[in-house]
Amino acid sequence: MAIVSPTIEARRGQMFPVLSAHDMTRLERFGTRQSYPMGTPILAAGETGPGLVFLRTGRIGVSQGGGVSSRETIVEHGPGEFLGELAQLSDRPALVDAEAMEDVDALVLPGKALRDVLVQEAELGERLMRALILRRVGLLETGTAGPVIIGPAGHADVLRLDNFLSRNGYPHRVLDSLTDGCAATLVDRFKVAPEQLPIVLCLGGQLLRNPGEGELARCIGMVRAIDPDKVYDTAIVGAGPAGLACAVYAASEGLSTLVLDCRSFGGQAGASSRIENYLGFPTGITGMALMARAYNQAQKFGAEIAIPDEAVKLGPDRDGEARFHLHLGNGETARARTVVLASGARYRRLPVAGLCDYEGSCVHYWASPIETRLCAGQEVALCGAGNSAGQAVVFLATQAKKVWMIVRGASLEASMSRYLVDRIRALPNVAVLLRTEICGLDGEEGTLKAVRLKNRDTGEEERCEIGHVFSFIGADPNTDWLADAGVKLDGHGFVITGADGRHPLETCRDGVFAVGDVRASSVKRVAAAVGEGSTVVSAIHAWLAKQGDSVAEAAQ
Ligand SMILES: Cc1cc2nc3c(=O)[nH]c(=O)nc-3n(C[C@H](O)[C@H](O)[C@H](O)COP(=O)(O)OP(=O)(O)OC[C@H]3O[C@@H](n4cnc5c(N)ncnc54)[C@H](O)[C@@H]3O)c2cc1C
């Protein structure tokens, strides 16, 4: 059965381009010739393939599924077409299967060669990159490729894993173990106890029982072990706008670049339902779409991106070639000549008793399509009055029956952009409660039944039947991990830079820079973070050159 995706239907030509003989000749110098007799498996889902396979003669069939669902054909490639998608850009395991349907004569380009084409053959590279991205979008849309999460719908750990893979643009499926017959059979067959749910079936056939994000990412090959012997020119902590901008500029200017993020690419910006004030996007863009572009761009230039990998300590200077050791949460160490702190900020938690009983299932810190699906047609509460809160209200109001906006202050105007205030006022299903706070949560077994609200002037309390709360009450810097790093922080925990005549983005520790929201007195906006992430690269070059590092000098 052929599968359907709006993107495949609308953009088939760009997704599966047929290259000319001249294009194929241009590719010759990057790849190696390879023959595949009819019937040879070329890609196996869950395993790392040979790279992008450009067909000179013959046909290749691409299919997916076969585990918990029937096998489906995605496409057949003929001469001038190529096999592969985004996974091959960074030599990650394939998400689909592919087999030679006839004898195939092909040109094979592994990840490194492909990245060389993208950079050296700009026009051809653009067509290839667009096809790779569209193919990934197609896989995300069809929702039948990738690992399968099986557990009760709405379960906090199902949402956690669903969110993790969605935020990282990784195709996957979610099956409800209570209503899907096939899912229930699997739970039975593998004798999965209720407390071990959700399970995840990985493409390589492994079964994980309620895994952590790191375990899942390693199992599906999303993240690999850091090479302990490699010394990077720069290691960037955080893959938000600041970290990704730094990665794009550093990698494109020849610096060997490692980016670590403990959660997903995109940071806070990735959680934004619509960014309307970023230059060049007059109709606005979702944070996820903007950040996915940046993530792919950084990989195109060869930046290595490790997600989820958490930096837990910045170790001492000087150890042979490496000046810095970044210790990671999983016990690994990354070595680098310079370090860029781009770890941004994290949401604040509401000071309400029993909050943790509902976090992940009924109390949310993002308003993505996953959360909005959960509360479609219901009444929800949202706390906060900043721009991020305003965007979330506008987004939620499209799905929820009613949005109660809980604001501690006396007006929205004091903290929110005018365009958002106007938009919120025009929404008939949004009620703004000023001078109000949440003082209690009522529910049982992780299910929220009601929210208690208190008027801050009169002290009067009211109980409202609300099953989901969204919290957008600001953020604190992610700097706990820098406690013994010898980096100076201000009274609120933000990293101080530019002291004593240093470069404006350099911390008090030589060779350690800070950019974006984590930096004291930075402007907390996407454009500012991107600007700082891009600017810091010239300071890295200068610093490396001062140390006499040949890599840096070559890149000048
Ligand atoms: C919902 C929402 C909507 C917004 N909308 C807009 C908007 O419309 N326009 C606008 O200009 N701004 C907006 N902002 C603000 C903007 O998103 C931030 O200013 C920007 O994301 C800051 O970028 P950053 O890279 O400095 O930090 P962040 O985006 O916070 O990224 C930091 C990254 O570092 C990672 N990290 C943290 N600690 C570690 C560690 N120890 N190890 C590894 N990784 C770590 C985090 O997981 C995160 O991915 C919005 C913010 C939110 C929350």
Side-chain angles (χ1 to χ4, degrees):
M1 185 177 76
I3 56 168
V4 182
S5 134
T7 302
I8 295 180
E9 293 316 308
R11 301 180 74 176
R12 183 170 282 275
Q14 290 179 319
M15 212 168 179
F16 304 116
V18 182
L19 305 186
S20 67
H22 176 60
D23 290 331
M24 293 295 275
T25 310
R26 282 155 75 193
L27 289 171
E28 291 278 351
R29 69 187 173 98
F30 298 95
T32 47
R33 291 281 286 276
Q34 181 75 44
S35 304
Y36 298 101
M38 187 169 109
T40 310
I42 303 175
L43 280 186
E47 290 174 26
T48 305
L52 244 57
V53 178
F54 293 84
L55 278 84
R56 296 165 57 83
T57 59
R59 294 194 77 73
I60 294 176
V62 183
S63 62
Q64 64 184 18
V68 291
S69 54
S70 56
R71 177 154 296 282
E72 296 173 325
T73 301
I74 302 174
V75 67
E76 286 178 21
H77 294 306
E81 298 185 312
F82 68 90
L83 165 69
E85 65 92 53
L86 268 185
Q88 278 71 51
L89 181 60
S90 48
D91 297 312
R92 295 290 198 272
L95 291 159
V96 294
D97 301 296
E99 187 178 300
M101 301 170 73
E102 298 169 3
D103 288 348
V104 166
D105 173 25
L107 191 65
V108 176
L109 273 72
K112 168 76 176 74
L114 171 60
R115 293 193 294 273
D116 288 344
V117 173
L118 297 180
V119 173
Q120 293 175 33
E121 295 281 349
E123 183 275 329
L124 175 57
E126 183 188 323
R127 275 185 281 148
L128 297 180
M129 192 69 190
R130 182 175 298 122
L132 297 179
I133 292 171
L134 289 173
R135 289 177 186 192
R136 173 59 63 96
V137 172
L139 288 179
L140 286 164
E141 277 178 3
T142 58
T144 49
V148 188
I149 302 168
I150 298 174
H155 187 292
D157 287 314
V158 173
L159 294 176
R160 172 177 63 80
L161 296 171
D162 187 8
N163 248 316
F164 170 67
L165 293 176
S166 301
R167 289 284 310 274
N168 281 293
Y170 200 91
H172 63 285
R173 278 173 284 180
V174 182
L175 297 182
D176 185 348
S177 55
L178 299 178
T179 58
D180 186 291
C182 183
T185 309
L186 280 168
V187 169
D188 241 27
R189 189 191 307 156
F190 289 109
K191 298 189 176 21
V192 183
E195 64 276 11
Q196 294 175 324
L197 287 171
I199 52 171
V200 183
L201 281 182
C202 300
L203 288 175
Q206 308 89 330
L207 182 137
L208 305 177
R209 291 165 198 258
N210 197 8
E213 287 87 330
E215 187 189 353
L216 172 59
R218 279 185 166 68
C219 187
I220 59 179
M222 223 177 99
V223 64
R224 289 188 282 246
I226 305 280
D227 180 351
D229 298 325
K230 180 159 180 178
V231 180
Y232 293 89
D233 292 325
T234 190
I236 302 164
V237 181
L244 288 177
C246 181
V248 166
Y249 281 82
S252 68
E253 290 175 23
L255 300 180
S256 61
T257 304
L258 174 69
V259 187
L260 305 164
D261 200 293
C262 55
R263 202 167 304 120
S264 60
F265 65 78
Q268 299 168 75
S272 171
S273 49
R274 184 152 292 273
I275 297 175
E276 302 205 40
N277 54 4
Y278 190 67
L279 192 72
F281 293 90
T283 54
I285 182 167
T286 67
M288 184 67 187
L290 182 66
M291 290 296 107
R293 282 170 164 83
Y295 174 67
N296 292 330
Q297 198 175 6
Q299 290 193 85
K300 161 180 147 176
F301 288 119
E304 289 177 40
I305 305 186
I307 301 175
D309 261 344
E310 180 174 14
V312 292
K313 190 176 166 192
L314 177 56
D317 296 9
R318 283 281 173 204
D319 171 64
E321 234 193 319
R323 291 189 176 77
F324 301 104
H325 281 190
L326 271 170
H327 300 278
L328 311 186
N330 59 12
E332 294 176 9
T333 303
R335 305 165 73 206
R337 298 185 175 91
T338 61
V339 171
V340 178
L341 310 175
S343 50
R346 64 172 176 273
Y347 52 78
R348 270 185 209 135
R349 299 174 71 238
L350 288 163
V352 182
L355 181 75
C356 57
D357 294 345
Y358 307 106
E359 282 178 315
S361 55
C362 302
V363 172
H364 313 281
Y365 297 93
W366 317 115
S368 76
I370 295 177
E371 289 80 18
T372 38
R373 254 199 319 270
L374 285 177
C375 54
Q378 302 177 39
E379 298 200 6
V380 303
L382 183 142
C383 302
N387 277 353
S388 56
Q391 285 173 6
V393 165
V394 172
F395 183 61
L396 284 170
T398 60
Q399 299 289 328
K401 185 172 157 197
K402 180 156 189 171
V403 183
W404 295 93
M405 191 169 185
I406 317 296
V407 179
R408 280 171 60 87
S411 81
L412 284 182
E413 283 80 357
S415 48
M416 193 181 289
S417 296
R418 184 78 238 171
Y419 80 95
L420 278 169
V421 176
D422 292 344
R423 208 168 284 176
I424 286 168
R425 294 244 159 85
L427 290 169
N429 61 339
V430 175
V432 181
L433 302 181
L434 299 174
R435 301 288 300 154
T436 305
E437 61 194 15
I438 291 185
C439 62
L441 300 172
D442 298 339
E444 54 193 41
E445 292 178 7
T447 303
L448 185 64
K449 300 270 193 254
V451 169
R452 275 176 280 130
L453 303 175
K454 182 171 159 189
N455 183 298
R456 299 183 69 213
D457 295 325
T458 62
E460 215 174 289
E461 284 193 21
E462 189 186 351
R463 188 172 183 278
C464 299
E465 287 188 7
I466 283 172
H468 290 272
V469 170
F470 290 80
S471 177
F472 285 81
I473 56 170
D476 294 314
N478 280 318
T479 47
D480 300 352
W481 67 282
L482 291 169
D484 306 318
V487 169
K488 265 197 199 131
L489 307 178
D490 73 6
H492 301 286
F494 290 91
V495 180
I496 297 172
T497 56
D500 307 324
R502 284 170 177 266
H503 185 280
L505 300 175
E506 192 175 21
T507 71
C508 65
R509 194 165 160 187
D510 290 343
V512 179
F513 302 86
V515 291
D517 277 17
V518 77
R519 199 176 68 76
S521 60
S522 66
V523 176
K524 310 304 187 228
R525 288 281 184 272
V526 177
V530 167
E532 292 188 5
S534 322
T535 311
V536 75
V537 175
S538 66
I540 293 174
H541 279 307
W543 197 84
L544 287 173
K546 207 167 77 188
Q547 307 308 305
D549 279 294
S550 54
V551 181
E553 280 164 355
Q556 288 283 294

